[in-house]
Amino acid sequence: MKPFTFLFFSAATLLCYASAFKVVLLPTPFVSHMNYFEPLALELHQSGHETYLVLSDSFRARQRLTDKGLNILTYDSKGTCEIDTDDFFKRVTIGMIDNGGDPGVLGKLVAPAIESECSKFLLDIELLEKGKKIGFDLAVVDGLFFARCLYIWPKELNIPYITLTTLQDFWRARVPAPPSFVPFHYSSFGERMTYLERFANVFMSVFFALSTTSPPLSQVIRDRYKDSSADFESLATKSKLWMFNTDFSIDYAKPSLPNIIHVGGMSLNSTKPLPELFAKFVAKSNRIVVVTFGSVISQLPNYIVEKMIDAFRQSPFQFVWRLPKAKEFSIPDNVLAVDWIPQNDLLGHEKTVAFVTHSGNNGQFEALYHAVPMVALPIFADQIYNSLRMEAKNYGVRLSMHKFTSQQLKEALEKVADNKEIKANLVKGSMILRDRPLNARKRAVYWIEHVIKYGDRHLRSYGIDMPWYQYLLLDVAVGYALLFGFLIYLIKRAFVYVSANAQNWIGTSKNKKKTH
């Protein structure tokens, strides 16, 4: 082969496998969800792909994302994106604390806001037409169970899609995950359950699988998207790939399938120098504790804040606390309370000895990455599950946000900061998390490219396409039940026949003996 011809075919082959694809990301615009959608979008962009995010035109961080070079497609929010407002965050925080984290209350608070955003998104026909003109190769859809309406959009565009989710929806992904040792994601159980816990776990798992968890679609949307909305709850099962925002370094070991990819820790980064305000405070401190409760839980009730202040005042540590309403309280000298903190950079600082957290998924990964012991104060949703798995790994301790005392918090901080076993477990866990051929972001991009290029047939279990009753072997169970029932019937008939004829057989036998 001539050199020129060889180079031509080599270049053509490389271009074929290194093509720039058009990928659209459909997140639910919660800050916590953007904490893993944004890094994925940036990694796709840096890998040469044409990447788009679909967001409300009222989403507050939209300009910041545009400044980073990301393409933003917006839908008309009619003036506000409710789930990105401080008032919404406050209602959720107070509602969950006042009701003990009740999932039913959470649904009543969140579902209407999600339904409103879904309606605005799906009724923006101009946005849909833009999507058709761009010609996306694939969509990445947020798998939040309240927001399954998002799947309608790629269905209408007739493009493949994958699911990115923190909720490990084993039923819709058809992963055989026995509830005997796989706890339901929103339960308060670990992997080692008692009989009663296993009993309850089966009920919760079955109830979630059978229930319709998304808010109902309006009639206007159903009329406009007749084919796609007919059974939009089932669209998730048609995902080409499931990317679970978790990792075995922090979670329980669970069954999996080839189309299940673990991408926990996509927001992880090495540390940067601290801004001046924080650098000065840390410089004059001995041992730092980072305190933050995420984006949604930003408005803690005053009585909880006062308990924390009392615990911090008695503590030998110095605290950097994300507390938006700090001016309303008497803050001790050993506490720096501000509206925003560089969480990752503080957790990665050598003086940081503990992390007080609500057990949000992203914060847990950052603490593990930097091997920082945790004191968990979970409130709702997956935070309780996250705190249990953290405690099971011995990465820290868990307290009740509803019942903790100042003394308990003070003692918990001292315990985790000075416990060598906890620190050793975290160091090992951090090494397990870091020691991979690809980090979580690059792993996610690799599999997105893989599915676009090759499809999903070689990854997809036939179990996904089976009718639910066949997947659960209910038809086989019915067959065995009928067979067992038939055998019982035969045995019973045989018994009746033997009983009815026993006397005749005995009489006949006696007569034969007399004859002889």
Side-chain angles (χ1 to χ4, degrees), residues 118-168:
C118 276
S119 295
K120 296 171 188 176
F121 167 53
L122 291 173
L123 291 176
D124 193 328
I125 302 305
E126 184 179 342
L127 175 62
L128 183 65
E129 291 303 316
K130 283 183 182 178
K132 290 178 179 178
K133 288 180 181 178
I134 293 171
F136 297 113
D137 295 296
L138 182 127
V140 181
V141 183
D142 191 333
L144 178 67
F145 55 86
F146 284 134
R148 295 209 173 99
C149 60
L150 294 174
Y151 290 100
I152 292 176
W153 210 69
K155 178 73 165 53
E156 284 294 309
L157 295 180
N158 195 28
I159 59 174
Y161 52 87
I162 66 177
T163 296
L164 172 57
T165 178
T166 296
L167 170 69
Q168 299 166 55

Side-chain angles (χ1 to χ4, degrees), residues 250-514:
I250 204 168
D251 206 348
Y252 308 113
K254 300 173 184 175
S256 190
L257 289 172
N259 67 333
I260 306 297
I261 310 301
H262 291 175
V263 293
M266 282 199 288
S267 64
L268 299 176
N269 282 299
S270 55
T271 57
K272 301 186 294 292
L274 294 171
E276 184 178 2
L277 173 65
F278 301 96
K280 287 182 177 179
F281 183 81
V282 171
K284 64 181 181 181
S285 303
N286 295 319
R287 297 201 289 174
I288 296 292
V289 174
V290 179
V291 186
T292 178
F293 294 93
S295 54
V296 175
I297 313 170
S298 58
Q299 302 287 342
L300 292 172
N302 288 358
Y303 75 93
I304 288 181
V305 175
E306 292 290 359
K307 284 197 290 185
M308 290 183 178
I309 289 175
D310 187 43
F312 298 163
R313 183 180 286 114
Q314 302 174 52
S315 175
F317 308 117
Q318 289 75 43
F319 297 83
V320 180
W321 188 2
R322 181 175 182 257
L323 184 64
K325 52 181 182 179
K327 293 180 180 179
E328 300 177 16
F329 301 93
S330 178
I331 304 297
D333 293 337
N334 65 331
V335 177
L336 174 62
V338 288
D339 289 349
W340 171 86
I341 66 171
Q343 178 174 298
N344 181 67
D345 302 327
L346 285 165
L347 288 173
H349 197 279
E350 60 183 4
K351 288 187 177 181
T352 299
V353 296
F355 180 36
V356 180
T357 172
H358 62 302
S359 282
N361 201 56
N362 297 307
Q364 268 200 348
F365 270 107
E366 289 182 358
L368 177 59
Y369 185 78
H370 297 295
V372 177
M374 289 169 265
V375 174
L377 290 162
I379 299 178
F380 66 92
D382 63 339
Q383 297 162 18
I384 299 168
Y385 172 89
N386 294 345
S387 68
L388 285 165
R389 72 185 185 186
M390 177 273 294
E391 196 170 47
K393 296 277 187 179
N394 199 17
Y395 292 160
V397 298
R398 178 173 56 97
L399 298 176
S400 168
M401 176 66 88
H402 316 287
K403 300 177 182 178
F404 82 93
T405 64
S406 298
Q407 185 62 25
Q408 286 175 331
L409 179 55
K410 175 179 176 291
E411 291 173 357
L413 286 167
E414 292 172 357
K415 176 182 177 180
V416 300
D418 298 320
N419 191 300
K420 293 181 180 179
E421 184 180 352
I422 289 177
K423 186 65 177 180
N425 289 334
L426 281 159
V427 170
K428 182 179 179 180
S430 178
M431 292 171 66
I432 293 171
L433 179 61
R434 293 169 182 249
D435 191 10
R436 312 290 172 84
L438 297 173
N439 65 30
R441 293 187 297 275
K442 293 186 184 298
R443 191 158 61 245
V445 170
Y446 168 82
W447 283 105
I448 288 172
E449 294 172 343
H450 184 93
V451 167
I452 293 174
K453 288 188 286 189
Y454 306 117
D456 70 322
R457 189 68 212 103
H458 57 296
L459 303 172
R460 186 182 181 90
S461 163
Y462 175 64
I464 297 173
D465 302 314
M466 294 176 72
W468 63 271
Y469 60 87
Q470 289 184 7
Y471 176 77
L472 295 175
L473 290 174
L474 295 183
D475 55 337
V476 174
V478 169
Y480 272 109
L482 291 173
L483 178 60
F484 181 74
F486 182 65
L487 290 173
I488 295 296
Y489 171 77
L490 290 179
I491 293 171
K492 183 178 179 181
R493 292 296 301 172
F495 180 78
V496 170
Y497 179 77
V498 170
S499 298
N501 293 280
Q503 292 298 327
N504 293 335
W505 293 340
I506 294 170
T508 302
S509 175
K510 287 181 178 179
N511 290 334
K512 286 182 178 180
K513 288 180 179 179
K514 287 179 181 179

Side-chain angles (χ1 to χ4, degrees), residues 143 145 148 151 167-175 205 207-214 232-239 242 244 259-260 460 463-464 471:
F145 55 86
R148 295 209 173 99
Y151 290 100
L167 170 69
Q168 299 166 55
D169 196 343
F170 294 114
W171 170 249
R172 285 173 178 80
R174 290 296 192 269
V175 177
S205 299
F207 179 80
F208 180 77
L210 297 179
S211 63
T212 301
T213 51
S214 292
F232 75 100
E233 281 273 350
S234 68
L235 291 178
T237 62
K238 296 178 174 61
S239 294
W242 290 78
F244 286 169
N259 67 333
I260 306 297
R460 186 182 181 90
I464 297 173
Y471 176 77

